[in-house]
Amino acid sequence: MQYVKRFALYFLFVIVLNRLQAQNTGEPNYDESKVPAYTLPNVLKTVTNRQVRNKATWEQLRRPEIIKLFEDNVYGQMPKAFDRLTYSIKRENISAMAGKATLKEVLIEVVHDQKRLAINLVLFVPTKPKGPVPVFLLINNRGKENTDPIRAHKSDFWPAEMVIDSGYAIAAFHVSDLAPDDTVSYVNGVLRLYPEQVTAPNGMRAIGAWAWGASRVLDYFEKDPSIDAKKVAIVGHSRGGKAALWAAAEDQRFAMCFSNCSGNTGAALSRRRFGETIRRINTVFPHWFAKNYKKFNNNEDLLPVDQHMLLAAIAPRPLYVTNASKDLWADPTGTYLSLKNASSVYALYKLGSNLPANPPAINQPIINSSLGYHNREGEHNLTAYDWNSFLKFADVYLKSR
Ligand code: GCU
């Protein structure tokens, strides 16, 4: 017996040691059997332990609580006040794309405390629409050539022609206008307007800044009569997909959200520690999240939130998240589980209840659900396949209303 006990203790010791070693070396785990046991925070239980049973308690109590928890612990605050927002059309071409669209290059300027920030927006609107049109807005975290206004360069990352042909407007801004994606120069954007954020432990950083920019573009859409500002779909890939989720959670004016391959601190559950981890993301990208987030390096279980709660904060608006089969870094299974765990909140609105328990097979999109999903075959990227599914999803939830 003594022997058995000793052996059991030794065995336990080896397991704990292995886990600690894996955490400390920062080696990513890609083995499902090594996902630790974890308990997700209950999205429907308030911090004072009150069970949320209806929309009213969700909207008045729990949702604001969750947003605050994400602000304080993960993405940082989202400054709401500014002195002035103006815009000017820098270039317009009413016969772009061989007459199929009108191109507008818009300069949006935000002034606060006598400091000025410029956001450059590229926007194509279908020619002769019946009225204001819904729009897809991409947070562009890749090269500016992807959103080429003169269309000399065409890219599946932002397939403007395909979206225009489907009857939607399409727009994009580049993250560098808001916060350069760099550990040092990220402060040279919107953070110049809010310097107090840079030092605050729960201050906004790059991902928050990009989401903030998406909301300023939405402010502009509200002034553009060709756009239906009640039907703005925010789209982002990877780090841009993290920002898209945060934008949609923070700003309820976004009608729909597409988060492509967003992974850690995007749509994937952090507690699974599969692929990228909080420690790794905070180490390699220290300028993305609030300083407070670093407290959770190797400490996922202490987080008062997990990412399913971010997805839930978007309810009841339609949300579509994706993965790519070879992109294990972004944890496809953890992403689907996150979506599944957000569905109890959509259920308060009688939505999203048809999500299967297990992830669908590769290239089998779930379109007919307010919580949509696909795992595309292939690499980490935003492709024509992804956009094609986005358009189908939008046709169900944006066009028909
Ligand atoms: C890195 C990073 C991810 C991010 C990705 C991207 O891989 O670790 O968190 O999503 O870059 O933005 O492409």
Side-chain angles (χ1 to χ4, degrees):
M1 198 54 204
Q2 194 63 12
Y3 210 68
V4 173
K5 250 192 200 160
R6 253 194 224 161
F7 183 72
L9 261 177
Y10 173 74
F11 197 63
L12 203 75
F13 175 74
V14 171
I15 290 179
V16 171
L17 200 72
N18 272 346
R19 177 140 321 142
L20 284 176
Q21 265 169 355
Q23 282 180 349
N24 290 334
T25 55
E27 277 300 309
N29 173 39
Y30 292 124
D31 180 348
E32 201 59 44
S33 73
K34 293 206 177 106
V35 169
Y38 63 89
T39 309
L40 292 178
N42 188 337
V43 65
L44 288 177
K45 211 163 233 174
T46 68
V47 283
T48 55
N49 233 9
R50 179 163 159 201
Q51 184 68 35
V52 177
R53 294 182 206 284
N54 54 49
K55 288 191 275 189
T57 319
W58 166 255
E59 285 168 12
Q60 285 152 27
L61 212 64
R62 184 58 173 152
R63 187 182 180 282
E65 217 175 71
I66 288 174
I67 295 290
K68 177 96 172 58
L69 288 171
F70 275 108
E71 284 177 350
D72 286 345
N73 297 287
V74 185
Y75 302 102
Q77 299 164 337
M78 183 68 84
K80 295 279 181 323
F82 51 84
D83 297 337
R84 203 162 62 247
L85 182 142
T86 56
Y87 66 90
S88 52
I89 311 292
K90 290 281 151 200
R91 183 150 48 131
E92 186 163 12
N93 175 4
I94 56 164
S95 56
M97 296 181 183
K100 285 194 301 191
T102 293
L103 161 70
K104 287 186 204 176
E105 289 181 65
V106 188
L107 176 66
I108 302 168
E109 288 188 283
V110 187
V111 177
H112 186 58
D113 270 353
Q114 288 160 18
K115 285 173 211 128
R116 183 180 296 270
L117 175 85
I119 307 173
N120 296 285
L121 183 74
V122 183
L123 167 65
F124 285 99
V125 184
T127 311
K128 296 195 204 103
K130 291 195 195 81
V133 280
V135 60
F136 285 81
L137 171 63
L138 176 76
I139 300 176
N140 182 16
N141 57 295
R142 290 214 179 151
K144 285 190 183 156
E145 71 283 358
N146 285 297
T147 65
D148 182 8
I150 58 167
R151 310 309 293 149
H153 179 97
K154 294 198 176 92
S155 143
D156 284 350
F157 197 75
W158 192 70
E161 286 73 10
M162 174 180 172
V163 175
I164 288 292
D165 287 342
S166 307
Y168 297 93
I170 180 162
F173 66 93
H174 197 265
V175 294
S176 58
D177 285 355
L178 282 308
D181 194 357
D182 176 83
T183 52
V184 178
S185 63
Y186 75 97
V187 290
N188 297 331
V190 62
L191 287 166
R192 286 184 299 108
L193 279 56
Y194 305 101
E196 69 287 353
Q197 296 291 323
V198 178
T199 46
N202 61 351
M204 165 172 99
R205 291 192 168 190
I207 300 271
W210 304 342
W212 184 92
S215 286
R216 301 295 72 79
V217 173
L218 185 35
D219 294 341
Y220 162 73
F221 285 148
E222 288 181 336
K223 298 177 181 175
D224 183 333
S226 67
I227 298 296
D228 185 345
K230 298 221 155 30
K231 293 186 175 175
V232 180
I234 184 76
V235 186
H237 165 67
S238 207
R239 63 198 73 188
K242 306 180 208 288
L245 290 171
W246 182 228
E250 267 281 346
D251 189 339
Q252 293 182 274
R253 294 175 301 165
F254 286 108
M256 182 175 279
C257 178
F258 294 95
S259 184
N260 198 72
C261 297
S262 59
N264 187 273
T265 324
L269 292 175
S270 299
R271 277 172 175 73
R272 276 172 46 85
R273 286 152 266 203
F274 188 102
E276 188 170 28
T277 59
I278 293 180
R279 175 185 135 130
R280 155 78 204 220
I281 208 167
N282 275 332
T283 309
V284 181
F285 306 100
H287 61 295
W288 279 3
F289 307 106
K291 281 186 195 156
N292 275 346
Y293 196 41
K294 303 207 170 40
K295 288 185 200 158
F296 304 99
N297 290 351
N298 288 344
N299 239 341
E300 284 81 355
D301 294 311
L302 273 193
L303 253 180
V305 290
D306 210 316
Q307 298 305 116
H308 64 302
M309 292 157 76
L310 181 67
L311 308 189
I314 297 172
R317 293 161 293 153
L319 164 67
Y320 195 95
V321 303
T322 76
N323 288 111
S325 62
K326 295 191 179 148
D327 185 17
L328 297 185
W329 183 239
D331 190 9
T333 304
T335 301
Y336 185 76
L337 289 176
S338 180
L339 197 69
K340 182 77 189 153
N341 278 287
S343 65
S344 58
V345 174
Y346 277 75
L348 297 175
Y349 297 86
K350 311 218 176 330
L351 296 168
S353 55
N354 47 348
L355 271 190
N358 296 312
I362 291 166
N363 289 352
Q364 295 292 319
I366 299 177
I367 304 280
N368 290 310
S369 160
S370 295
L371 291 169
Y373 179 81
H374 72 235
N375 189 8
R376 166 181 52 74
E377 181 170 13
E379 313 282 347
H380 179 75
N381 200 359
L382 174 56
T383 69
Y385 179 97
D386 300 313
W387 281 98
N388 192 40
S389 300
F390 297 173
L391 288 165
K392 285 187 189 148
F393 188 75
D395 283 352
V396 180
Y397 298 100
L398 272 193
K399 253 193 182 163
S400 61
R401 277 174 208 176

